[in-house]
Structures are given as structure tokens and as C-alpha cells.
Amino acid sequence: MRKLRMGMIGGGQGSFIGDVHRKAASIDGLIELVCGAFSSNAEKSKASGKALFLPDNRCYGSFQEMILKEKELPEDERMDFVAIVTPNHMHYPPAEMALKHGFHVVCDKPMTLTLDEAFQLKSIVNKSGKLFALTHNYTGHPMVKQAKAMIANGDLGAIRKIQVQYLQGWLSTALEKSDHKQAAWRVDPKKSGIGGALGDIGTHAENLVEYISGLKINELAADLGRFGEGRVLDDDGNVLIRMENGAKGTMSFSQIALGEENNLAIKIYGEKGSLEWHQENPNELITRWLDKPKKIFTPQGFDLYPEAVTASRIPAGHPEGYLEAFANIYKNFANHLQAYLKGESVNAPDYPSVDDGVRGMKFIYASVESDKKNADWVIID
């Protein structure tokens, strides 16, 4: 097979996440960027494309132009899929158009601006038969996959308790009132949606809980904070969660936890053992047991499940981190898409899907509803 051809929507000059997607997609040599509509400003979009050494005729002024013109190209030239790396309010429109014109989609999270859009997008994906991946990148870490496999295999026994946190401090001051593009759109409900930190990083915590445990959050009680002067969206939150099997848990997320950088961590406690993983030290999965000593798993180490081995690229002791985890999302999506193009089926492809996107939006809406009711319990489904 050939390399898959990727078009990008958003991610132009000055974008952090666009560069991350491009690097991650290229790591395994399965994907090449062939075109893009990198900004809502046509001039900036074309300048961004030229800076990436794309030919002038593949640098488009809008995502609508890109999708329509790529569709007109011969099959052996046109893009295979689009990567959407825009602020939240611009996830649904290009995803809808791309799917309806026969293109597969990779989209940043949260999946949509509203819950209604999430339901509509799920319906469109199902009707189109095209592939859709959501970049909850932390699920790509080898030790996260080891944790998931251990729980699925019953190593920890029945799950009883879960604790998860995602703490940042970068919005401790009013960055949105300066010339800070990333802060400005995240505190704007027209671009971010009804959740602030809740949608930005709370959904990562929610997704990690459900991915590793294999359990769904059944109901929650949320207390959201708005500490930044004049902010209407949350910048802090604490959530009690009840899992579908009866396990209970706590979730804490914040972007005003001064001094924190990217402190995502999870602990899961079962009948026979427990595990602990920290994103800032991603190469270690700490496990503790009822009847044997504590054990620390590492990539390419001993006693790993195949899922963890497959997600590791380099010899033991060499750090694998954020970009490599992101790349595992693209690698698994690319392998699935290659199989799709050859008419082959893939059993349970391992990357976040449109269903995970719907779960994330339900979590946001349930949390906001609970907060409005003074942290009353709200059933997600």
C-alpha cells in the first residue's frame, strides 16, 4: 500500500495543536500531508500551506473549497482523510461536509460544540460508513494500554474506586485579556461551548477513566468554579462519579491550579490490586497487590500485554511521551484505513471513536446541569 494522504483544517501559523498533529501523523511513515485549509483567513491559510512546502494549488482559502476541489481530483491524487484541528465551534461543520463528500475524519476533542451536534455527527458517521477518530491522545500511551489490558483480564478483580485528576495552572491569570489566542477562545462560550476547563481537560479525564476501566460513568455530581475575573465558563471543577458496576470515584480538574503544568494522573482500585499512572512520568505504571509486592511496569519491560508492546517503539529506558502517544492514535487509525481501502475488516480498532465523542459531550452537559443544581446527582444516560 501507499502512504495515506491527509488534508488539514485549521492548524496554521501560530497554532500549537496543528503542529502536534502533523508531527504525530508523520512519525510512523504511514501518512503524508498533501493539502490544507489552515485558517479562516484565506491569505493566512495559503501562507501557512506554503510554509509547509505544499504546492500552491493544494493550499486552500477555506475548508469548503478544499473539500470540493479535492473531491474533483482523481482518486490517486485526492486526500484520503481530513484532520480537524480548529477550536471547538469549527469541529462539526467541516466534519459533516467531509463525511458527506466521502472523506474519512480525524477530529480534535471535544468532538463538537453542542450535544445536539454530537448526536447528528454520530448519525452522519454511521450513515456514511466512513472512519472517524477522535484524538484523546493519552489513550495512546503504552502504560495506559497496559493498565486497560490488566483490568480487562481481571488482574485487579472487580473495580471498586477510581481517582483521576487533570491539573493545570496556565489560566491562573487573565491571559485571555492579553494577546493570547489559545486562552481567548477557550474562555469564550461561542467558540468553546458550555464547558471551559470541563471541555478542554475534563473530557480527557472522563475518557481516560472509561478507556482504562472499561466501565461507563453512570451518574455524577459536579461542582464547577469560575475564579478568573469576568469568566462565564468554568476554570476549575470537582466531580463525584458513580460507575455502571457500582464503583465510586472522584475527579478533579483545573486550569487555575497555580504551579501545575500538565498533571494528569489516575488511580484505580480493585479487589485484588490497584494501579497508578501519571502523565508527567508516563513510562511507569505502578501496581500494588493484595498478596505480592508492588510492581512497576515500563515500556518494553517484563510481563507486558501485547497491547502495550505494540504501542512501544523504542528500547527500554528511552522515554516515550506526548508525541508518541498522539502518534499511536494516528497509527491505529491509519492501519484501520489501509484495511478499509483494501476491503478488509478490523476487529475492534484501538482509537477513540465517534461514540467516545458523544460520551464526552454527555459528560460536559451532565456536569453543567449538576453544577446548576448545586451539585445534585445527574444520570449521564
Side-chain angles (χ1 to χ4, degrees):
M1 290 293 288
R2 56 174 173 78
K3 281 190 176 185
L4 295 169
R5 297 182 288 268
M6 178 175 78
M8 180 165 281
I9 298 172
Q13 292 172 327
S15 166
F16 160 72
I17 201 64
D19 194 43
V20 168
H21 276 258
R22 288 188 289 269
K23 289 174 179 176
S26 69
I27 282 178
D28 291 290
L30 301 174
I31 297 167
E32 61 180 335
L33 179 70
V34 298
C35 64
F38 301 100
S39 172
S40 57
N41 179 291
E43 185 176 333
K44 182 178 178 182
S45 175
K46 294 177 180 180
S48 297
K50 290 180 180 179
L52 294 167
F53 305 105
L54 293 176
D56 289 348
N57 66 334
R58 305 296 286 277
C59 302
Y60 298 104
S62 69
F63 75 82
Q64 294 94 335
E65 179 192 14
M66 183 179 87
I67 291 170
L68 292 176
K69 288 194 173 180
E70 287 292 314
K71 183 68 174 178
E72 293 174 355
L73 293 175
E75 286 189 15
D76 60 353
E77 293 182 26
R78 72 173 70 133
M79 65 182 180
D80 295 299
F81 73 95
V82 296
I84 301 171
V85 297
T86 58
N88 304 350
H89 71 298
M90 287 304 297
H91 287 179
Y92 178 82
E96 176 195 33
M97 185 175 181
L99 290 163
K100 288 184 174 180
H101 283 77
F103 296 107
H104 308 273
V105 173
V106 174
C107 184
D108 219 347
K109 43 55 57 190
M111 187 169 74
T112 52
L113 184 71
T114 69
L115 183 56
D116 283 344
E117 285 183 349
F119 288 137
Q120 292 173 39
L121 190 56
K122 175 178 168 60
S123 176
I124 293 167
V125 170
N126 291 342
K127 289 178 181 178
S128 72
K130 300 301 177 182
L131 307 189
F132 183 96
L134 192 69
T135 51
H136 276 298
N137 54 292
Y138 300 109
T139 64
H141 281 281
M143 292 301 93
V144 167
K145 295 191 181 298
Q146 173 69 11
K148 178 180 177 65
M150 292 176 70
I151 290 176
N153 194 54
D155 296 358
L156 272 61
I159 301 305
R160 294 171 165 175
K161 183 177 180 66
I162 299 174
Q163 290 183 315
V164 64
Q165 66 180 39
Y166 199 156
L167 305 176
Q168 300 174 337
W170 71 289
L171 286 178
S172 293
T173 60
L175 281 181
E176 67 270 24
K177 295 179 181 178
S178 63
D179 188 21
H180 198 292
K181 182 179 178 181
Q182 298 301 320
W185 77 257
R186 280 176 169 82
V187 302
D188 181 356
K190 293 180 180 179
K191 295 181 178 180
S192 186
I194 66 171
L198 172 66
D200 194 23
I201 59 176
T203 51
H204 273 309
E206 168 267 331
N207 179 260
L208 200 63
V209 165
E210 295 195 347
Y211 180 79
I212 294 178
S213 72
L215 301 168
K216 287 183 169 57
I217 300 171
N218 188 46
E219 54 184 329
L220 56 79
D223 180 22
L224 306 179
R226 297 159 187 84
F227 289 96
E229 183 180 354
R231 287 180 186 160
V232 297
L233 297 180
D234 63 275
D235 50 21
D236 181 82
N238 298 288
V239 186
L240 295 177
I241 57 176
R242 293 172 179 166
M243 310 301 292
E244 61 182 338
N245 75 329
K248 299 181 184 297
T250 60
M251 178 186 300
S252 180
F253 53 86
S254 181
Q255 292 178 319
I256 51 88
L258 197 147
E260 296 286 0
E261 295 179 344
N262 211 61
N263 190 354
L264 170 61
I266 188 168
K267 298 179 181 181
I268 300 181
Y269 301 88
E271 292 177 319
K272 299 187 292 185
S274 64
L275 56 81
E276 177 179 350
W277 180 78
H278 295 261
Q279 191 275 153
E280 291 184 345
N281 188 20
N283 275 22
E284 291 190 354
L285 176 66
I286 302 167
T287 61
R288 299 177 177 87
W289 304 97
L290 186 65
D291 56 358
K292 53 187 176 182
K294 178 175 76 172
K295 182 173 183 178
I296 299 176
F297 291 89
T298 59
Q300 302 291 2
F302 296 103
D303 297 332
L304 294 181
Y305 283 97
E307 295 88 339
V309 174
T310 301
S312 303
R313 291 176 170 78
I314 50 182
H318 293 77
E320 294 189 60
Y322 181 75
L323 283 176
E324 290 85 355
F326 224 114
N328 278 333
I329 304 294
Y330 271 101
K331 179 178 71 172
N332 293 344
F333 174 80
N335 288 335
H336 189 192
L337 183 49
Q338 292 280 23
Y340 176 100
L341 294 175
K342 291 187 286 185
E344 300 172 355
S345 62
V346 172
N347 183 32
D350 186 13
Y351 57 82
S353 69
V354 69
D355 292 320
D356 296 292
V358 171
R359 290 291 302 171
M361 294 306 298
K362 286 183 176 180
F363 168 75
I364 292 171
Y365 273 65
S367 297
V368 171
E369 180 184 348
S370 173
D371 179 63
K372 288 180 178 178
K373 296 178 179 179
N374 197 29
D376 273 358
W377 286 96
V378 172
I379 297 174
I380 290 185
D381 287 317

